[in-house]
Amino acid sequence: MTTLWPSNLTTDALSSSQQPLIQQLSQAADQVWKNMPQAWQQQIQSCWLPLASHLAALATRYQEQHQKPAILGIHGGQGSGKSTLCNALAEVYKTAFNWKVAVISIDDLYLTKAQRQQLALDVHPLLTTRGVPGTHDVQAGLTLFEQLRSLNNQKLLSFPSFDKIADDRSSTDQWHSITGPVDLILFEGWCVGCKAGTVTELQQAINTLEQTEDPDGQWRHWVNQQLREAYQDWFAQIDYLLMLKVPGMEAVQQWRTQQEADNEKASQSQGGMNPAQIQRFIQHYQRLTERALNDMPGYADLVLELNEQHQVAAIRYAKDTSLQAEQ
């Protein structure tokens, strides 16, 4: 099988001194990646194993230079596979190197339902819906990064989780936990790494939600301001940004519908969204998702372009290198 991996990146990350690392990862991947989605299993050798090797090399180098774990940001539209990728990487690194990997989803740092309801009263009714910048606890996210990077040996740290079906923060007995020291931090989310738009861009409504529920643009301007200010401080903590580039909003609709079904199966709560509710829900995300699709490939460190079959069709590295998938 022809590799998708750009040759100049392979030379850097998979040098002869890294061969023991690669061998360990390959053996671990054979053991633990059998539960990856079928479409991704077909690309373990051509994409995911080289990616795991590259990120492990970066993380090792960063730890040696800075004496703290690197923060790898993973951006992708809803349903793109961010959580699947993070969990697979964490599992394979644990098996191969006994690394302690903290997987931080931006979703787990949503404000509580009560806090968002108060925002809806104070700022705009649309802010009762989770997701957009301004509906996360940014300070908690910054504090969590500090805590993870300084977590002492054998010290336990618990941090929030979010129940998407209940649409609220989980009870503390359902929170995530990790014991120090941490070797790597994976920070994933649909808006991770996004940049604010211009005032001109915000003037025209782009979908039914904005036309009917934000006709004067108050909501989208407020969201954009949050992204320009506090969120840029948060995203500045990211040492390396990887983008899972979705084909477009139609794919987001399809994949988010499947994700909702999976969430309901995994949740202790009942009452997920139906297709019409999902369609309205993703309109909250459309503006920033489309902006990221246009702009982020120009500044992300690594871009994995997904096709409609949910496989990687091309990889872009350092903003200009692209190798198309074998047809």
Side-chain angles (χ1 to χ4, degrees), residues 74-230:
I74 299 181
H75 166 95
Q78 292 188 342
S80 58
K82 303 178 297 298
S83 297
T84 298
L85 176 57
C86 286
N87 291 332
L89 289 172
E91 190 174 4
V92 79
Y93 290 152
K94 178 181 179 181
T95 302
F97 313 131
N98 199 30
W99 278 7
K100 295 176 181 177
V101 180
V103 177
I104 309 300
S105 171
I106 199 170
D107 293 355
D108 283 328
L109 293 163
Y110 283 136
L111 298 173
T112 65
K113 181 183 289 187
Q115 288 173 319
R116 285 180 283 117
Q117 289 173 340
Q118 189 61 49
L119 265 183
L121 293 173
D122 295 342
V123 181
H124 194 282
L126 283 175
L127 291 171
T128 192
T129 301
R130 68 178 189 263
V132 296
T135 62
H136 304 89
D137 191 335
V138 174
Q139 187 54 55
L142 288 166
T143 299
L144 178 56
F145 284 166
E146 292 177 3
Q147 292 173 323
L148 289 169
R149 283 184 141 170
S150 60
L151 195 61
N152 294 328
N153 187 36
Q154 299 304 313
K155 185 175 181 181
L156 180 69
L157 176 67
S158 296
F159 52 95
S161 65
F162 192 88
D163 186 334
K164 293 182 179 178
I165 300 302
D167 192 25
D168 209 349
R169 189 170 297 168
S170 302
S171 58
T172 54
D173 63 320
Q174 298 295 318
W175 282 21
H176 307 290
S177 62
I178 192 168
T179 303
V182 174
D183 297 289
L184 176 63
I185 300 168
L186 300 177
F187 178 41
E188 62 93 353
W190 80 274
C191 65
V192 165
C194 283
K195 295 182 178 180
T198 65
V199 174
T200 301
E201 289 175 7
L202 300 174
Q203 290 177 353
Q204 187 69 34
I206 64 168
N207 56 34
T208 303
L209 179 82
E210 292 189 356
Q211 290 170 351
T212 60
E213 300 185 54
D214 186 39
D216 61 359
Q218 180 186 355
W219 169 73
R220 53 187 181 267
H221 278 84
W222 187 87
V223 168
N224 195 60
Q225 182 181 357
Q226 307 311 304
L227 184 57
R228 179 182 294 113
E229 296 174 355

